[in-house]
Amino acid sequence: MPPQFIPPETKIFLLEERLRGCRELAEYVWEAFGGPLPGDRHGERLILAVWARAAGTFSGVLLLAEQSYGDQVGMLARALFEGTVDAYWIAKHSVKAQRLATLHFRQTRLLVAEHWNEHDRRDGDPVLPLFSEDIRDRQQLASLFGAIGHRHWSGQSLPKRIAEVDSAVPQQHDGELFARYGDDNKLANLLLHSAAVALNDRITDGPYGARIHAGPSQQHLAIGLRHAYWSYQRLCLLVADRRVPSARPRIEELYLQTWSHLQTITVPALKLAGRNGRCPCGSGRKVKDCHGAL
């Protein structure tokens, strides 16, 4: 028999309780950040565009979580994390970001038009225009983003972008941003690309042979939801600072109320803290009044 790992018993708040705090954040920032654009500061439109996409993604996370699609929640959490890093990178390099975003759009415009005209267009379909400036600058665009546009529009890898914004992203302790990248975002990446860790979750061996698990699964749901919430809340803080500073205290308050509810705490950790000790989730409450009450 191969060795088996038996995970410790855990305690976590009911899904509906966890989702309630996530919905409160989503609804609050949607109301706070809406409305017409003021005079555009450098990078303002780009940051708001990142937030607008992230708001839809976070809504998708909550819908999937309601139906217990844990793997898919984790996949979308990756997009939220990387979008948050991008937003802080834009805020730090606003002029450069606008220039690179424009150049990346031009390369995409060129590549899409060429592919459509050569491969996808049928008789009677219109020919997509090829802009002379894009053709002229093809070599420069390829040097920035790769010949087929496979690099990120900033021209930098995610670890490099994280290193550049590390001091700007609010963190509970030094190194938290890199820890999220190395732990939760790594898992999200494995789920997205159907790595062995994701595939193995779907097939288990039993006394009557292998069993395939299709459809919803709460596997990875707790981690994915926590990672999504952490990322989206940090993005909302940045948008609040630039658009509605008065909204920041409420966003921070919602985080304090919700974050502890998203933690999964092992029973051994609760026993070590004791019923009257502080709960390891960081809520500040006694164990018996927090995860210990579950």
Side-chain angles (χ1 to χ4, degrees):
M1 289 288 291
Q4 292 183 328
F5 171 71
I6 302 176
E9 184 184 354
T10 58
K11 296 290 185 180
I12 189 168
F13 281 89
L14 294 174
L15 180 59
E16 183 54 39
E17 294 181 59
R18 287 177 277 158
L19 288 176
R20 186 181 302 116
C22 295
R23 292 192 192 100
E24 287 179 354
L25 175 64
E27 292 169 1
Y28 177 75
V29 297
W30 187 264
E31 292 293 331
F33 298 161
L37 282 171
D40 186 30
R41 295 162 57 188
H42 282 305
E44 189 81 12
R45 290 172 65 93
L46 274 176
I47 292 174
L48 286 175
V50 172
W51 168 75
R53 283 186 57 84
T57 302
F58 191 61
S59 295
V61 163
L62 302 186
L63 290 173
L64 288 167
E66 288 175 356
Q67 302 299 319
S68 297
Y69 283 93
D71 287 10
Q72 288 71 24
V73 166
M75 295 178 203
L76 290 183
R78 171 189 159 168
L80 286 167
F81 177 80
E82 295 179 11
T84 295
V85 171
D86 286 349
Y88 279 89
W89 190 88
I90 293 167
K92 184 174 182 178
H93 303 285
S94 55
V95 176
K96 180 180 179 181
Q98 285 185 314
R99 181 179 67 85
L100 289 174
T102 300
L103 292 174
H104 190 266
F105 176 84
R106 285 177 49 202
Q107 188 196 41
T108 302
R109 179 175 63 184
L110 174 64
L111 295 175
V112 169
E114 288 182 336
H115 184 85
W116 166 264
N117 294 339
E118 184 176 351
H119 301 288
D120 294 338
R121 191 175 71 87
R122 297 174 178 149
D123 291 342
D125 287 341
V127 176
L128 291 181
L130 296 172
F131 293 87
S132 59
E133 62 176 354
D134 299 342
I135 298 174
R136 180 197 66 208
D137 296 337
R138 180 194 296 273
Q139 187 173 356
Q140 177 198 7
L141 298 174
S143 68
L144 289 170
F145 313 115
I148 58 174
H150 63 280
R151 295 181 198 147
H152 188 265
W153 65 265
S154 68
Q156 293 188 334
S157 66
L158 180 58
K160 287 185 177 179
R161 302 198 305 277
I162 291 175
E164 289 203 23
V165 304
D166 183 51
S167 61
V169 178
Q171 302 176 59
Q172 292 175 292
H173 56 79
D174 291 341
E176 184 182 16
L177 183 62
F178 273 103
R180 295 251 166 253
Y181 171 68
D183 297 332
D184 293 352
N185 212 62
K186 181 178 180 179
L187 173 61
N189 192 49
L190 294 174
L191 295 175
L192 179 65
H193 293 293
S194 296
V197 66
L199 299 179
N200 286 341
D201 290 340
R202 290 296 177 169
I203 299 181
T204 56
D205 292 319
Y208 304 104
R211 182 179 179 183
I212 299 175
H213 303 269
S217 169
Q218 289 210 5
Q219 183 81 339
H220 310 304
L221 177 56
I223 295 175
L225 187 59
R226 184 176 67 236
H227 189 40
Y229 184 84
W230 187 93
S231 302
Y232 189 57
Q233 194 265 354
R234 265 55 180 188
L235 174 56
C236 291
L237 288 176
L238 175 65
V239 177
D241 286 343
R242 300 175 68 90
R243 188 163 174 78
V244 190
S246 60
R248 184 181 179 107
R250 179 58 178 161
I251 295 172
E252 292 176 330
E253 180 184 11
L254 289 171
Y255 179 81
L256 292 175
Q257 294 173 0
T258 303
W259 185 241
S260 60
H261 281 67
L262 297 175
Q263 307 307 308
T264 302
I265 306 299
T266 66
V267 170
L270 293 176
K271 290 181 177 178
L272 182 63
R275 292 186 73 251
N276 291 309
R278 297 299 179 187
C279 188
C281 74
S283 65
R285 297 188 293 271
K286 293 182 178 180
V287 165
K288 65 182 181 182
D289 298 323
C290 195
H291 280 77
L294 301 176

